[in-house]
Amino acid sequence: METELVGEERQGEAVMLEQNTELLTGKKLYLESYGCQMNFSDSEIVASILTQAGFETTNNQEEADVVLINTCAIRDNAEQRIRNRLKQFNKEKAANSDKVIGILGCMAERLKSQLLEEEKLVDLVAGPDSYRDLPNLISEVGTGQKAVNVLLSREETYADIKPVRLDHNGVSAFISIMRGCDNMCSFCVVPFTRGRERSRDPESIVGEANDLFERGYREVTLLGQNVDSYKWNMNKKEEVLDPSIETVNFAQLMEKVALVNPDLRIRFSTSHPKDMTDDVLHTMAKYENICEYIHLPVQSGNSDVLERMNRGYSREWYLERIKSIRSIMPECGISTDVISGFCGETEQEHQDTISLMKEVRYDFAYMFFYSERPKTLAARKFEDNVPLEEKKRRLSEIIDVQQEHSHESNKRAVGKTYKVLIEGDSKRSSDFQSGRNDQNVMCVFPKSSKQAGNYIEIKITDCTSATLIGELVSES
Ligand code: SAH
Ligand code: SF4
Ligand code: F3S
C-alpha cells in the first residue's frame, strides 16, 4: 500500500553515475525555480551538480544551452503557470533548436514522461531524487534518447553535495535536513512527488552550517516537510535498531547547529502540530540564536475537517500546542497555512477556521482554496463538492481576517526594540537598509555604518501591514 502510494523507488545507495562531462564543459545553464523553499534548496544542489559537470550558470535565458525549470505540483494553478512558462520557452526555442528544455521537481515526478512524450513541451524530465543523473540525461538528449528519470529513493539526501548558493544576499541560506514526507495528509501531493521521508546525516548538516558561517553567512533555515519528525540513527546501517544506539532528534539537531556560533541565526520550516514537542520549544528558548518564530500550519479550525484531511490532530490539540509555544516563548512569532473549501466543508466548519484564527491571532498566514490533486487520498475518497465560487468566498473572508491580524501584530511591535540581521539596502531606497527581526518580519531603517551580515538594534517607530519601520538604537 505505502509503496504504491509513493510510486517507484530506487533501492540501494545512490551512486555518482559515470559522466561524459567533456560534452558539457562551457555550456550555459539557466535554472528557474517555483514552489516551496525545498525546491529552491534543491535548485542549489542541481546547480552544484551541473557546475561540477562543466556548466556555467547564466541569468539570461536566451543565451542558455540548457533551460531547466524546477517545478511545483501542490495546486492546479501552480502547474498551469509552469505549463505557460514551458510554452513560452518552446516558442523561443524555435530560434535555437539545439536548446535543451528540461523539467525538474514535483511536477516532473507527478506527470513522469507525459510532458515529454504526449505534450512534447520538454526534452528532459528529472524527478527530485534523480539530480545526480542530470549530466547523463542532458547528454542523452543530444543522442536522441528519452531523457527521463523519475525514480524515487529511500536514501538520497544529497548530503555530500555542496550547494551553489543562488540567492546572492550572501547572508542567509537554506539547509535541507530531510527529504520526502511520510504523512498522508489527504489533500497533499507531496508524498507522491517527493517519496518517503528520510533524514540527513547530522554531521553533514553541521558541517554545512560551519562552512556557511565561515563564508560570511549569518542565518540558516533548516528545511523539511515535517522537521519535527527528523530522526537520525547514529548507526544507520544496522538492520535491527538497537535502543542503546544514539539517535538525534530535531531538538538535538537544532542544538548542534545553534552551537556552531552564537552569531549564526537558526530558523526552520515546517513544523507539524502533531509532532512538535515541548523539547523543541525549550531548545528554542534556550539559545538566543534560534529565532523565536514558528510556522505551524493548521489547515482548518474544525476537528472533523482535520480528520478528513488526515492531519493527525484536533482543534483542541492544535490550540494546546499554541498555548505551549506562548507559555515557553511569549514573544514567539507564529504563522500558519489555511485551506478553504476542503471536501464536505460546511459553512459552520468554515466558521470554526475563522474562530480559531481569531483565537490564535497569527502574525502571518499563507492561505489557499482547496485544489484536488490526482491520486491523493482525498481525490479517491471524497467528493470535491464545495463550488469554486464558495471556496473563493470563504478564502477571501479568511484573508480579510488575517490582514487585520497581521496589521495588528505589526502595530504591537511599534515602540519595541529588535535585533535585526542586516540583509542589504532596502529595495525602495539606498538611503535605507533592511533585515528581519527574530519573528521573521521585514524591518526597514535608515542606512547604518554596518554592512549586510551584521546585527543591529532597531527601535520600531511605524509600520505597514507587511513591514516594520524603525530607527537605529545603537551600532555597538
Ligand atoms: N509540509 C507542510 C506543507 C507543505 S505544502 C505541512 O505539512 O504543513 C504547503 C501548503 O500548501 C500546505 O500547508 C497547505 O496549506 C497547502 N496545500 C497543500 N495541498 C493543497 C491542496 N491540494 N490544495 C490547496 N492547498 C494545498
Ligand atoms: Fe503534505 Fe502533510 Fe506531508 Fe505537509 S505533512 S508535505 S501537508 S503530506
Ligand atoms: Fe510544491 Fe513540491 Fe514543494 S509540490 S510545495 S515544490 S514539495
Side-chain angles (χ1 to χ4, degrees):
M1 176 77 170
E2 277 177 332
T3 42
E4 179 210 317
L5 290 173
V6 295
E8 296 166 88
E9 287 186 355
R10 177 172 61 207
Q11 297 297 326
E13 289 283 307
V15 281
M16 238 334 183
L17 295 150
E18 246 180 69
Q19 293 152 11
N20 184 355
T21 51
E22 255 170 53
L23 289 170
L24 307 176
T25 304
K27 290 212 171 187
K28 292 212 164 83
L29 164 73
Y30 173 82
L31 185 54
E32 198 167 284
S33 306
Y34 292 83
C36 62
Q37 293 169 327
M38 297 280 311
N39 244 23
F40 284 78
S41 167
D42 279 4
S43 288
E44 300 186 326
I45 287 165
V46 169
S48 170
I49 290 169
L50 289 175
T51 44
Q52 281 283 316
F55 273 90
E56 285 167 27
T57 53
T58 171
N59 288 325
N60 179 359
Q61 187 248 120
E62 280 167 27
E63 66 166 29
D65 300 295
V66 175
V67 170
L68 296 178
I69 176 161
N70 196 357
T71 61
C72 176
I74 202 84
R75 285 169 289 275
D76 185 57
N77 55 13
E79 290 200 0
Q80 290 317 327
R81 204 173 318 136
I82 287 158
R83 273 210 163 75
N84 289 336
R85 193 70 179 129
L86 285 173
K87 284 179 188 151
Q88 203 179 332
F89 285 152
N90 273 285
K91 251 193 218 154
E92 287 158 18
K93 184 185 165 168
N96 169 11
S97 58
D98 284 343
K99 190 178 270 201
V100 173
I101 299 177
I103 182 166
L104 315 178
C106 292
M107 198 175 159
E109 190 62 49
R110 195 181 83 72
L111 295 172
K112 313 229 172 334
S113 58
Q114 183 184 320
L115 291 169
L116 190 151
E117 289 182 17
E118 290 159 39
E119 302 188 39
K120 308 223 183 301
L121 280 171
V122 297
D123 310 300
L124 177 158
V125 181
D129 287 343
S130 64
Y131 297 148
R132 289 181 202 262
D133 197 20
L134 274 171
N136 273 334
L137 291 169
I138 293 168
S139 304
E140 275 174 21
V141 176
T143 61
Q145 297 173 63
K146 273 184 208 148
V148 179
N149 186 344
V150 288
L151 292 174
L152 289 171
S153 158
R154 274 176 186 268
E155 286 92 12
E156 180 64 274
T157 59
Y158 299 110
D160 56 316
I161 297 202
K162 199 172 162 187
V164 167
R165 302 297 166 182
L166 297 170
D167 174 4
H168 295 296
N169 82 1
V171 174
S172 53
F174 297 132
I175 302 184
S176 272
I177 62 163
M178 57 209 291
R179 299 182 69 80
C181 185
D182 279 353
N183 292 320
M184 275 288 163
C185 300
S186 63
F187 51 81
C188 184
V189 78
V190 172
F192 302 86
T193 61
R194 295 253 162 191
R196 298 303 297 263
E197 179 186 291
R198 64 220 97 121
S199 295
R200 176 179 167 190
D201 181 348
E203 279 168 29
S204 76
I205 295 168
V206 172
E208 193 172 327
N210 250 315
D211 178 61
L212 284 164
F213 186 79
E214 273 162 27
R215 286 160 53 205
Y217 285 83
R218 290 295 175 263
E219 182 175 87
V220 294
T221 304
L222 308 178
L223 294 180
Q225 292 299 349
N226 176 1
V227 290
D228 299 295
S229 66
Y230 176 89
K231 193 170 191 163
W232 179 264
N233 191 307
M234 292 311 270
N235 199 353
K236 245 196 146 188
K237 302 281 182 262
E238 287 292 328
E239 291 265 312
V240 186
L241 296 188
D242 174 347
S244 68
I245 292 171
E246 197 196 340
T247 56
V248 177
N249 66 20
F250 180 59
Q252 291 160 329
L253 174 75
M254 202 157 54
E255 180 160 47
K256 284 176 191 287
V257 182
L259 289 169
V260 163
N261 193 295
D263 276 341
L264 182 69
R265 257 186 178 181
I266 323 296
R267 297 187 184 278
F268 55 89
S269 187
T270 304
S271 305
H272 197 301
K274 81 177 160 61
D275 297 318
M276 189 192 66
T277 61
D278 283 356
D279 238 20
V280 166
L281 303 177
H282 287 299
T283 307
M284 290 174 74
K286 183 172 166 195
Y287 292 93
E288 217 240 24
N289 56 333
I290 303 180
C291 291
E292 294 202 339
Y293 168 69
I294 299 185
H295 183 60
L296 196 68
V298 66
Q299 316 298 359
S300 165
N302 177 276
S303 295
D304 291 337
V305 175
L306 288 169
E307 178 141 5
R308 293 202 290 282
M309 287 178 164
N310 200 26
R311 284 289 286 179
Y313 56 86
S314 62
R315 175 187 174 104
E316 291 67 34
W317 172 276
Y318 184 90
L319 288 172
E320 189 280 327
R321 294 287 72 214
I322 295 287
K323 222 164 135 187
S324 213
I325 297 173
R326 297 233 159 101
S327 75
I328 296 169
M329 290 173 289
E331 291 295 313
C332 189
I334 304 178
S335 61
T336 200
D337 292 347
V338 183
I339 298 178
S340 76
F342 184 64
C343 309
E345 186 189 71
T346 63
E347 178 61 26
Q348 184 51 51
E349 288 170 341
H350 161 64
Q351 288 307 325
D352 286 345
T353 297
I354 301 281
S355 79
L356 179 132
M357 292 173 76
K358 289 185 174 166
E359 204 168 326
V360 178
R361 305 194 101 76
Y362 294 105
D363 299 293
F364 186 81
Y366 297 94
M367 298 154 282
F368 316 97
F369 64 78
Y370 174 59
S371 163
E372 185 178 84
R373 307 313 290 132
K375 285 198 198 165
T376 53
L377 286 178
R380 288 185 285 161
K381 255 170 82 177
F382 305 121
E383 203 188 330
D384 179 13
N385 57 359
V386 177
L388 182 60
E389 284 314 307
E390 184 57 18
K391 286 178 183 171
K392 288 187 177 169
R393 187 197 62 77
R394 291 180 192 174
L395 177 62
S396 76
E397 200 178 330
I398 288 169
I399 292 172
D400 287 348
V401 169
Q402 184 52 44
Q403 253 171 1
E404 214 180 294
H405 292 172
S406 296
H407 205 175
E408 237 174 51
S409 155
N410 278 358
K411 280 193 259 181
R412 274 198 304 273
V414 175
K416 291 190 182 164
T417 299
Y418 293 107
K419 185 175 166 186
V420 166
L421 175 62
I422 305 174
E423 288 180 18
D425 281 356
S426 149
K427 277 189 194 135
R428 296 234 178 116
S429 156
S430 57
D431 293 339
F432 289 83
Q433 288 177 310
S434 63
R436 286 165 199 278
N437 65 4
D438 235 41
Q439 288 73 12
N440 206 31
V441 187
M442 188 55 90
C443 304
V444 174
F445 43 91
K447 197 164 202 161
S448 68
S449 61
K450 291 183 176 177
Q451 291 179 340
N454 289 289
Y455 293 96
I456 194 156
E457 295 268 305
I458 298 296
K459 183 168 182 191
I460 305 305
T461 53
D462 200 359
C463 70
T464 69
S465 61
T467 312
L468 297 177
I469 298 150
E471 59 187 24
L472 310 180
V473 174
S474 76
E475 295 201 16
S476 60

